[in-house]
């Protein structure tokens, strides 16, 4: 028997390795393609813009590739009539771009509405923006705002709940059988228990599989009704086929359906093998089938992770999906294990007192170990998953955030119940019959609470992630952005309103040292630029309103993210004052994801938690005999893997971010930065480049080819390029490398400084 068990574990280890490789393989096969809720990056015409000439098409760039069959742009005039030619199409060479051609537009205000379908979690995204042509006629824009419910369909959370519950109980059953159920199947245990247990655990798993299969079918109907925007009843039929064939979500659904069918066949074979009378051969067949079903469940759970919110979290997809899969497995072990434990406890009631006590006393400790380890895994992977979808504390105020808090609260209760079982019930099992009764009741309550937890998950997976809602609503963001600084004796206050994508108003208040308004500025200009990529610059000049207030009414942010505003104030009677401010522009109503989890933080978080988890597994394996016994080794081996993988990720996340260096200038060109930059420039660069950067410094004459005029050349390059020139020099010219003479910070400051020459 020991030998049989040993080889069983060995094969289980091999099979789980294969199973674990499957989802990673799927990730690789999908390549770098990332799919998520596709929101607007930018558009032409830009949201909120006023054009002199009528455009002949609307082009929108999205954050992700789109499903062509289910994506569309409509353009309406102020009466709500369509003014596009109905030829909305996704670009075939770049599926992130969608456009529609327009008829001849008269002066007026137009509304652009767009919709598309995420290829992964199948969530629909939609939005709209407004632009005007010619003199703003005052005609109101047509309303395209569709009141969207919290859920795409009210039955969706329930369907997801049932599907998940079924999947977890069936998948958890496979593990429970291997790790705990073996005790009940041992040949020294009473024959009656063996037969009863095998039969009833298979029945439970089969019922769970049935629920899973039905709920999955229902999910397809819901999905079809969401994509085609039809009532549920009409969604049944041919449209379902096109969802399955034409969307990535559908193709993964098909994989899942196929695996479910195979799992059903394997279960049937297990039931037959259990009935066969020949001991040795039966045990072999049972072991083989058990491993097969584990592999199948690995695949099925992977299809769930690949259509989860984790898969739709673009920036950190490669970390978030494996994390989600681990979370699912741990949940299966815990929730599925609890359900099967309840069954086993019920089955043992048929045994005589001493036999029952002996069985329970040997089964329950094994389960506690399993439950403890899976709980630790759930907590660790859950923290990462919550961070990936919530990201900022303010986002907890969204429906997603609340559902998450509810889930955590129920889990907390469950943990306490588990502790009572562990500390009070378990030690009494071997001598006290009442303890057995308590065990049954408490595990029953735990199973019910676990079902509640999964219900919360049904809601979570059906809701839009917290960080996206928070991004859109500007949660944790002030209504406008206000900065204050004193430069050259001039008090400058800048107010950016509303600080969202689209048209914004800049208000500049100038005051002298005594707080009196400065009304005689000859020029107040604001230069705005986007920091994460080069979208060019807008230089706007503010007009005086009196009382030291100067305004720019039409400053346009075309995209959400980090922006910089550089202010220059010219006065006849004082030095020029310049400064710069940086701020985050939110997506506003057009809805792209401003709050996004950062991959470096993700790697560090995941690495740290996996390493900690590894230590927990190692510690749990020690009392089982460490590496020298099979049981100890099967707990410690994953611990070693967790520790190694965690350390590698941590190393990557913490150090990887540092070695690449910033690609954007870490310093805004404010007074302090320009002061340092100016000092460095005069000490180091002036000899060649001259006081004003014209290439006429005292040392320039001696050079074969004189330095370029910085005022002309600098604006042609990004900050990162300029950093490179100064740090590494320019090969084949007299421009030296300053990388080892100046610190990185000094170079960034001097880059800021030489950018002030171009006026
Ligand atoms: C020994 C003289 C010398 C010194 C000192 C020097 N440069 Fe230059 N630099 C040059 C020459 C010559 C070129 C022209 C290279 C070319 O023609 O492409 C140049 C080119 C550049 C350019 C590229 C302009 C362009 O777009 O073509 C930048 C930027 C620049 N220098 C910045 C600096 C900064 C900042 C410093 C001080 C930290 C500095 N240089 C110090 C000689 C010098």
């Amino acid at each position: 028997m020991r030998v049989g068990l040993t080889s069983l574990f060995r094969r289980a280890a091999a099979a789980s390795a294969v199973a674990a490789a499957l989802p990673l393989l799927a990730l690789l096969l999908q390549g770098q393609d990332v799919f998520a809720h596709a929101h607007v990056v930018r558009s032409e015409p830009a949201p909120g813009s006023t054009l002199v000439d009528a455009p002949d098409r609307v082009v929108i760039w999205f954050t992700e590739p789109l499903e062509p069959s289910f994506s569309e742009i409509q353009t309406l005039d102020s009466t709500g009539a369509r003014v596009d030619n109905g030829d909305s199409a996704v670009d075939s060479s770049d599926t992130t771009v969608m456009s529609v051609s327009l008829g001849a537009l008269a002066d007026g205000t137009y509304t652009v509405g767009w919709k598309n379908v995420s290829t992964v979690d199948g969530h629909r995204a939609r939005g709209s923006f407004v632009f005007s042509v010619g003199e703003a006629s005052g005609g109101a824009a047509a309303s395209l705002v569709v009141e969207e419910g919290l859920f795409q369909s009210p039955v969706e959370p329930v369907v997801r709940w049932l599907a998940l519950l079924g999947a977890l109980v069936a998948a958890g059953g496979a593990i429970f059988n291997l790790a705990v159920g073996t005790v009940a199947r041992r040949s020294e245990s009473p024959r009656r228990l063996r037969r009863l247990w095998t039969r009833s655990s298979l029945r439970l798993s089969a019922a769970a599989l049935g629920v899973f299969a039905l709920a999955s079918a229902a999910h397809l109907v819901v999905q079809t009704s969401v994509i085609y925007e039809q009532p549920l009843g009409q969604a049944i039929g041919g449209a379902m086929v096109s969802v399955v064939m034409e969307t990535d979500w559908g193709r993964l659904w098909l994989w899942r359906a196929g695996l479910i069918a195979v799992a059903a066949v394997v279960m049937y074979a297990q039931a037959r093998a259990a009935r066969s009378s020949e001991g040795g051969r039966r045990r072999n067949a049972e072991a083989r089938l058990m491993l097969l079903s584990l592999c199948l469940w690995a695949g099925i759970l992977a299809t769930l992770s690949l259509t989860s919110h984790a898969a739709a979290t673009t920036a950190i997809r490669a970390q978030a999906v494996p994390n989600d899969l681990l979370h699912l497995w741990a949940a299966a072990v815990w929730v599925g294990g609890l359900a099967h434990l309840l069954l086993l406890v019920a089955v043992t009631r048929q045994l005589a007192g001493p036999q029952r006590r002996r069985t329970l006393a040997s089964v329950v400790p094994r389960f506690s170990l399993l439950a403890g380890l899976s709980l630790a895994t759930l907590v660790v992977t859950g923290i990462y998953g919550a961070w990936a979808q919530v990201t900022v504390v303010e986002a907890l105020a969204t429906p997603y955030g609340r559902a998450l808090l509810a889930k955590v609260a129920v889990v907390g209760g469950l943990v306490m119940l588990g502790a009572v079982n562990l500390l009070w019930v378990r030690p009494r099992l071997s001598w006290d019959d009442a303890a057995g009764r308590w065990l049954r009741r408490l595990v029953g309550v735990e199973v019910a609470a676990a079902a509640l937890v999964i219900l919360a998950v049904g809601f979570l997976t059906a809701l839009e992630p917290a960080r996206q809602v928070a991004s859109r609503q500007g949660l944790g963001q002030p209504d406008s952005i206000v900065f204050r600084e004193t430069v050259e004796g001039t008090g400058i206050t800048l107010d950016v309103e509303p600080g969202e994508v689209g048209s914004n108003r800049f208000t500049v208040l100038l005051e002298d040292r005594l707080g009196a308004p400065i009304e005689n500025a000859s020029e107040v200009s604001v230069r705005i630029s986007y920091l994460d990529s080069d979208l060019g610059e807008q230089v706007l000049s503010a007009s005086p309103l009196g009382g030291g207030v100067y305004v720019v009414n039409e400053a346009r942010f075309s995209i959400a993210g980090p922006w910089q505003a550089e202010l220059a104030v010219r006065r006849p009677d004082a030095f020029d004052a310049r400064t710069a401010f940086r701020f985050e522009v939110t997506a506003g109503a057009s809805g792209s994801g401003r709050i996004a989890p950062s991959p470096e933080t993700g790697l560090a978080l995941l690495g740290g938690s996996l390493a900690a988890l590894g230590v927990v597994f190692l510690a749990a394996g020690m009392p089982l005999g460490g590496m020298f016994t099979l049981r100890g080794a099967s707990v410690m081996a994953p611990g070693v893997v967790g520790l190694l993988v965690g350390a590698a990720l941590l190393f990557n996340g913490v150090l990887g971010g540092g070695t690449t260096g910033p690609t954007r200038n870490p310093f805004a060109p404010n007074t302090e930065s320009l002061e340092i930059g100016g000092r460095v420039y005069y000490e180091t660069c002036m000899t060649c480049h001259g006081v004003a950067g014209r290439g006429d410094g005292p040392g320039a004459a001696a050079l074969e080819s004189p330095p370029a005029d910085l005022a002309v050349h600098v604006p042609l390059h990004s900050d990162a390029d300029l950093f490179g020139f100064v740090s590494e020099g320019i090969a084949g010219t007299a421009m030296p490398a300053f990388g080892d003479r100046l610190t990185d910070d000094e170079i960034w400051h001097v880059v800021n400084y030489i950018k002030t020459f171009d006026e």
Side-chain angles (χ1 to χ4, degrees):
M1 186 57 221
R2 278 225 167 265
V3 178
L5 209 61
T6 309
S7 65
L8 195 74
F9 268 111
R10 210 174 279 143
R11 281 188 227 157
S16 3
V18 173
L22 276 178
L24 293 178
L25 195 70
L27 269 183
L28 285 180
L29 287 179
Q30 295 217 348
Q32 282 307 298
D33 276 356
V34 280
F35 306 98
H37 299 232
H39 286 299
V40 175
V41 175
R42 66 195 168 96
S43 69
E44 275 169 22
S49 59
T50 304
L51 309 175
V52 181
D53 299 316
D56 56 4
R57 54 195 310 113
V58 172
V59 188
I60 308 182
W61 284 260
F62 288 92
T63 49
E64 314 299 339
L66 312 177
E67 293 281 12
S69 334
F70 303 102
S71 305
E72 193 191 7
I73 303 180
Q74 288 190 5
T75 310
L76 309 183
D77 67 12
S78 53
T79 67
R82 267 184 90 158
V83 294
D84 60 74
N85 297 327
D87 57 354
S88 164
V90 172
D91 194 303
S92 55
S93 58
D94 181 354
T95 51
T96 63
V97 183
M98 178 157 65
S99 67
V100 68
S101 70
L102 302 174
L105 300 191
D107 284 3
T109 304
Y110 296 90
T111 305
V112 177
W114 54 267
K115 57 183 181 182
N116 60 40
V117 168
S118 155
T119 48
V120 175
D121 54 11
H123 283 253
R124 218 181 217 307
R126 67 164 98 231
S128 66
F129 60 86
V130 172
F131 70 91
S132 322
V133 177
E135 290 288 309
S137 59
S143 174
L144 255 183
V145 177
V146 185
E147 270 308 313
E148 296 218 48
L150 217 43
F151 303 105
Q152 315 198 85
S153 157
V155 290
E156 192 181 343
V158 178
V159 165
R160 285 179 178 266
W161 172 50
L162 290 176
L164 201 54
L165 206 56
L168 294 183
V169 169
I175 302 252
F176 186 88
N177 253 321
L178 187 70
V180 182
T182 35
V183 175
R185 274 198 312 278
R186 280 219 182 112
S187 42
E188 65 265 28
S189 66
R191 198 182 147 77
R192 210 153 128 245
L193 171 69
R194 248 189 311 160
R195 296 244 324 262
L196 256 175
W197 163 242
T198 311
R199 202 185 318 143
S200 49
S201 82
L202 269 172
R203 272 194 196 146
L204 176 60
S205 293
L209 185 71
V211 170
F212 182 39
L214 285 177
S216 295
H219 197 175
L220 179 60
V221 178
V222 171
Q223 183 61 19
T224 309
S225 96
V226 165
I227 288 189
Y228 282 96
E229 294 175 283
Q230 282 172 342
L232 281 177
Q234 283 171 35
I236 300 171
M240 288 163 64
V241 178
S242 66
V243 170
V244 169
M245 306 311 291
E246 287 170 34
T247 66
D248 279 14
W249 184 93
R251 283 185 277 271
L252 274 167
W253 183 93
L254 195 61
W255 268 106
R256 189 180 313 149
L259 289 171
I260 290 176
V262 181
V265 174
V266 170
M267 259 181 208
Y268 177 73
Q270 278 178 313
R272 294 211 30 187
R275 250 179 270 135
S276 124
S277 50
E278 293 163 80
R281 200 192 284 173
R282 187 196 68 214
R283 271 199 299 277
N284 263 338
E286 278 183 331
R288 231 174 282 136
L289 288 168
M290 217 186 265
L291 292 182
L292 190 56
S293 84
L294 269 182
C295 291
L296 284 171
W297 281 108
I300 292 173
L301 294 189
T303 68
L304 290 175
S305 285
L306 284 168
T307 52
S308 67
H309 280 148
T313 310
T314 321
I316 54 164
R317 181 179 155 88
Q319 332 161 4
V321 171
N323 180 77
D324 187 78
L325 188 61
L326 208 56
H327 196 68
L328 266 183
W329 265 117
V333 172
W334 201 29
V335 177
L338 272 176
H340 280 80
L341 178 67
L342 183 63
L343 186 73
L344 186 56
V345 174
V347 165
T348 51
R349 284 166 81 191
Q350 313 226 358
L351 302 180
Q355 261 184 350
R356 176 169 68 227
R357 287 196 295 272
R358 218 179 313 125
T359 311
L360 286 183
S362 69
V363 161
V364 170
R366 276 182 169 232
F367 177 75
S368 331
L369 176 68
L370 208 59
L373 289 176
S374 59
L375 181 65
T377 312
L378 280 170
V379 169
V380 160
T381 51
I383 289 174
Y384 178 92
W387 166 78
Q389 302 310 325
V390 178
T391 315
V392 293
V393 179
E394 288 87 0
L396 284 174
T398 59
Y400 186 102
R402 299 221 173 98
L404 181 65
L405 291 178
K407 176 186 173 186
V408 170
V410 185
V411 169
L414 257 167
V415 169
M416 282 195 281
L417 275 180
V420 172
N421 260 339
L422 186 71
L423 301 176
W424 192 83
V425 177
R426 190 179 128 179
R428 287 169 176 73
L429 280 175
S430 52
W431 49 268
D432 186 357
D433 270 341
R437 271 199 302 283
W438 271 107
L439 181 71
R440 205 171 66 244
R441 280 180 211 142
L442 285 178
V443 174
V445 176
E446 281 183 89
V447 169
L452 268 183
V453 173
I454 308 302
L455 181 62
V457 177
F459 279 90
L460 283 174
T461 50
L463 281 166
E464 187 173 7
R467 79 186 131 68
Q468 282 188 358
V469 177
S471 284
R472 220 176 23 249
Q473 299 176 345
L475 282 185
Q477 287 289 310
D479 289 342
S480 69
I481 305 164
V482 182
F483 298 99
R484 198 163 281 128
E485 204 188 8
T486 302
V487 186
E488 303 281 348
T490 308
I492 303 181
T493 307
L494 171 69
D495 183 11
V496 183
E497 210 184 2
E500 288 177 0
V501 166
S503 183
N504 284 259
R505 182 186 161 97
F506 281 48
T507 312
V508 181
L509 172 67
L510 302 179
E511 289 162 321
D512 66 16
R513 283 205 174 82
L514 303 171
I518 297 174
E519 311 213 6
N520 67 343
S522 57
E523 192 192 328
V524 176
S525 67
V526 185
R527 177 204 304 265
I528 54 178
S529 52
Y530 180 64
L531 289 170
D532 267 357
S533 64
D534 191 2
L535 301 180
E537 296 177 334
Q538 299 172 52
V539 183
L540 307 155
S541 98
S543 39
L545 275 193
V549 175
Y550 299 77
V551 293
V552 175
N553 275 319
E554 271 283 313
R556 201 158 40 248
F557 300 123
S558 50
I559 176 172
W563 285 76
Q564 173 171 298
E566 294 167 64
L567 247 73
V569 177
R570 267 210 182 125
R571 291 165 62 190
D573 54 351
F575 284 117
D576 291 358
R578 30 167 95 245
T579 188
F581 303 108
R582 288 180 171 190
F583 47 86
E584 284 283 333
V585 168
T586 58
S590 73
S592 78
R594 183 184 65 87
I595 304 173
S598 103
E600 287 81 29
T601 313
L603 277 187
L605 183 60
L606 190 61
S609 16
L610 279 184
L613 199 57
V615 173
V616 170
F617 271 69
L618 286 179
M622 286 310 240
L624 300 177
M627 280 296 193
F628 303 107
T629 66
L630 191 68
R631 277 221 296 157
S634 58
V635 171
M636 290 182 82
V640 172
V641 174
L643 201 57
L644 290 180
V645 173
L649 290 184
L650 204 57
F651 192 72
N652 242 303
V654 174
L655 296 184
T659 49
T660 47
T663 50
R664 88 154 84 124
N665 196 328
F667 304 103
N670 55 17
T671 334
E672 196 192 346
S673 168
L674 295 180
E675 217 173 270
I676 304 174
R679 201 166 55 239
V680 173
Y681 184 84
Y682 283 103
E683 284 164 8
T684 329
C685 325
M686 202 263 285
T687 40
C688 295
H689 286 284
V691 180
R694 302 280 168 203
D696 54 1
L703 300 175
E704 233 167 73
S705 65
D709 184 346
L710 292 181
V712 175
H713 288 268
V714 162
L716 304 177
H717 300 289
S718 69
D719 281 18
D721 287 347
L722 294 170
F723 181 95
F725 293 156
V726 179
S727 163
E728 279 141 42
I730 302 176
T733 75
M735 172 67 195
F738 291 97
D740 38 12
R741 264 189 277 167
L742 301 174
T743 64
D744 283 5
D745 286 3
E746 282 174 327
I747 298 182
W748 286 121
H749 290 307
V750 84
V751 164
N752 277 336
Y753 184 75
I754 60 177
K755 288 178 77 182
T756 62
F757 287 147
D758 63 335
E759 278 156 26

